[in-house]
Amino acid sequence: MQPLQPLQPGASIAASRRFVAQNWRRLIAAPAPRALREQGDFNVRHATVAGLSCLSCVCYSRFLSRPSKSVRLLRTRATAVTSAATIEEEVEEDVASSRRPRLRLDKDDAGNLQKLMVTTPLFYANGSPHIGSAYPAIAADVMARYGKLREAEVHYVTGMDEHGEKIARTAAGQDKTPQELVDGIATEFQDLWDLLKVQPDHFARTTPAKHKEIVHEMWQRCLDNGDIYKKDYSGFYCVGCEAYLDEDEMSEGHICKIHQKECEWRSEENYFFRLSKYWGAVRQHLEENPDFILPTSRRSQVLVWLEEDNKRDFSISRASTSWGIPVPGDDSQVIYVWFDALLGYLSSLLGPEDPATLDTVLQRGWPADVHVIGKDIMRFHAIYWPAMLMSAGLPLPKHICTHGFLTKDGLKMGKSLGNVVEPIPLVNDFGSDAVRFFFSSCLSFGLDGDFSYETFIKRVNSSLANELGNLVHRILTLLRKNLADPASPLDLVDDGAVFDDHPVRTAAEKAPEAVAACYEQTDIPKAVATALEIATVANVRMNEVEPWAKLKKNTSDEEKSLALRELLVMAEGVRICAVLLSPVTPGLSAKILAEFGLGQGQLSWKDTAWRWDVIPGSVGPKPTPVFQRIDLEAWQGK
């Protein structure tokens, strides 16, 4: 075997990656050559980031298949670096991309997005919507708006889960029928969505007749497949969860960990779904599709649940309440609320004239591309739901995107603590764009996120008021005061080549592809940061060029022309920035485009391309600020 030739000092990143890609097995199997060990230039197995300031290359591995098993597959990647800081950046970037891979979306050969079905959970309708409901609805709406920007056929579903014992109890406590209760809650949800500019294509409910027909057909398919049977069952039941809980879901004294209430011991005869039959198939699906659950770090938890010794069936009917869909052929029981509600994703695809059949659902676009859910309902979506679909012979959704919990000032929100953040007052006080911006792009989707008024206001002011809003105002104020007629930057130069390497143009032309990748990784914070980089570059350019100084009365025509064309280039960059941000801040983006004198028509991804068109709003009266800075002092301590 030929000895390895050492990597030459100063080798490029590409050369370093090729070196390790070709030789990584030998590098890991044997110690690095003595000369390299002594120099500290290259040590694949023992190099660490801390304390090292100069490495030629570093390899690291990532988990691919079964993180809960002792046998794991390894993949290596090499990166040429010049400092420990660079190594850290590369490691963080790689870890992030492995946890958040790009969604497998339906695209044509040219890469154009064709279809996108995205759903939130069907929120339990026993009370008014809260910030925990708004959080996934905003994230899903951002994804849906991105799909529409790409001119895809989008079906965005949110809605309500309307059956179950808890709803019946709540209605009785308010001297209402269950139907009266859920009808009122439906109005509250839809009013909140209007406030937040959340625009679902379908608001799913589980009480309509067509949904009941879908549930009955699903039941019959599972029954015909030998997957439904009846037996006596005993266990600790949480009314809040509408579920029998395992020991790991309760704390001492049989207290539900989620609702912090003592569970009830129950014994009743129920129908069961033969989940154990699909245990191996569900686990195999997770192993063969590592991006089925996102972020991928949560897959390990599901694989632990799917260990062989945890194999079980689950109850899919209740005899303790009459508020629900009756079991076919047995009116003494109603179908379990989770079996019922999950099928709302299917029935949501039915049009007004469609027959309520599962075959119609397949024709109308199932399977879903993305289910957006909280991590607390991951077991139902990642194990029960796939097994039900397998039993009925239906395809599985492509991705289940899980988000974390929200806290307030580092504490779990609760009425007893008086720290609940109510979404309607929040929108009324700050506007929908600020709320959408913070909850979709200032919290890492997938991880737990904390809300405080100080952090909220500082982030919104920094990005929307200072970086973007102030930039728009400065550009338009100077243009409208000094530009006699609307013009293109090309009208103010003899040779358009002067703009070939303009930093704003360069940033604006690079941004769309990068932003698209981030949206398709459900990395909304990075998508927003990448779009706002155009504004950052424009602000730097503004301070370098100082157009206000060049537009004074005593300056030359050449300097005035330079200032105006720079402002017009910045305006075009900001226009593109506004389009890229429109899934997150639709109101603010519309205001910016309106100030630029551009139409209010439907935006598309084509609008992210650089144009030399005249911006008609560059002349006219003094511009109106597109985003007002929020006064922090009034909210400190709240």
Side-chain angles (χ1 to χ4, degrees), residues 123-134 160 184-193 196 420-424:
F123 302 107
Y124 205 54
N126 73 315
S128 300
H130 48 77
I131 201 68
S133 313
M160 300 195 318
I185 299 298
T187 300
E188 291 187 45
F189 267 100
Q190 290 168 324
D191 288 346
L192 177 59
W193 296 164
L196 286 168
V420 175
V421 177
E422 297 292 352
I424 291 177

Side-chain angles (χ1 to χ4, degrees), residues 179-360:
Q179 190 66 59
E180 288 172 337
L181 175 70
V182 297
D183 286 346
I185 299 298
T187 300
E188 291 187 45
F189 267 100
Q190 290 168 324
D191 288 346
L192 177 59
W193 296 164
D194 288 343
L195 268 180
L196 286 168
K197 291 186 170 61
V198 166
Q199 297 180 338
D201 298 288
H202 183 85
F203 187 83
R205 299 184 64 177
T206 58
T207 48
K210 282 193 174 184
H211 173 74
K212 293 177 183 178
E213 291 180 50
I214 289 293
V215 173
H216 279 164
E217 185 182 354
M218 186 79 170
W219 181 282
Q220 193 62 47
R221 282 199 184 190
C222 295
L223 182 67
D224 292 345
N225 206 29
D227 295 332
I228 293 178
Y229 63 95
K230 198 174 186 181
K231 75 167 186 175
D232 291 329
Y233 187 76
S234 299
F236 284 100
Y237 189 81
C238 173
V239 176
C241 293
E242 296 272 10
Y244 288 98
L245 301 189
D246 295 331
E247 288 298 327
D248 65 348
E249 297 174 288
M250 298 180 287
S251 54
E252 188 175 353
H254 303 105
I255 305 298
C256 172
K257 290 182 178 179
I258 294 175
H259 294 95
Q260 293 300 307
K261 291 184 179 179
E262 186 176 353
C263 298
E264 303 173 4
W265 177 262
R266 288 190 179 179
S267 296
E268 61 181 7
E269 188 178 41
N270 294 147
Y271 289 90
F272 276 73
F273 176 78
R274 213 176 294 277
L275 178 64
S276 57
K277 175 179 172 182
Y278 297 93
W279 213 250
V282 172
R283 184 171 59 197
Q284 181 179 353
H285 183 77
L286 265 68
E287 291 169 347
E288 293 177 352
N289 299 275
D291 60 353
F292 180 60
I293 300 171
L294 299 173
T296 55
S297 54
R298 291 230 163 87
R299 187 171 61 114
S300 58
Q301 176 61 66
V302 180
L303 288 170
V304 168
W305 291 336
L306 286 167
E307 295 289 352
E308 287 295 325
D309 56 356
N310 293 332
K311 189 180 292 186
R312 73 199 62 192
D313 297 338
F314 79 100
S315 170
I316 57 170
S317 74
R318 296 290 182 267
S320 55
T321 181
S322 60
W323 178 239
I325 299 175
V327 169
D330 188 351
D331 290 343
S332 69
Q333 306 243 352
V334 297
I335 295 173
Y336 176 43
V337 62
W338 272 104
F339 190 97
D340 166 8
L342 286 164
L343 300 180
Y345 298 139
L346 302 179
S347 60
S348 75
L349 286 159
L350 298 173
E353 306 302 321
D354 285 339
T357 68
L358 292 175
D359 286 341
T360 306

Side-chain angles (χ1 to χ4, degrees), residues 57-78:
C57 191
V58 64
C59 291
Y60 59 94
S61 41
R62 67 172 76 138
F63 302 121
L64 286 183
S65 182
R66 300 186 185 179
S68 62
K69 302 293 184 181
S70 59
V71 179
R72 290 166 177 161
L73 299 177
L74 299 177
R75 180 183 294 169
T76 62
R77 174 185 173 192

Side-chain angles (χ1 to χ4, degrees), residues 104-116:
R104 289 178 284 112
L105 300 177
D106 185 11
K107 296 184 178 182
D108 63 17
D109 293 340
N112 298 311
L113 189 60
Q114 298 293 292
K115 165 192 167 290
L116 175 65

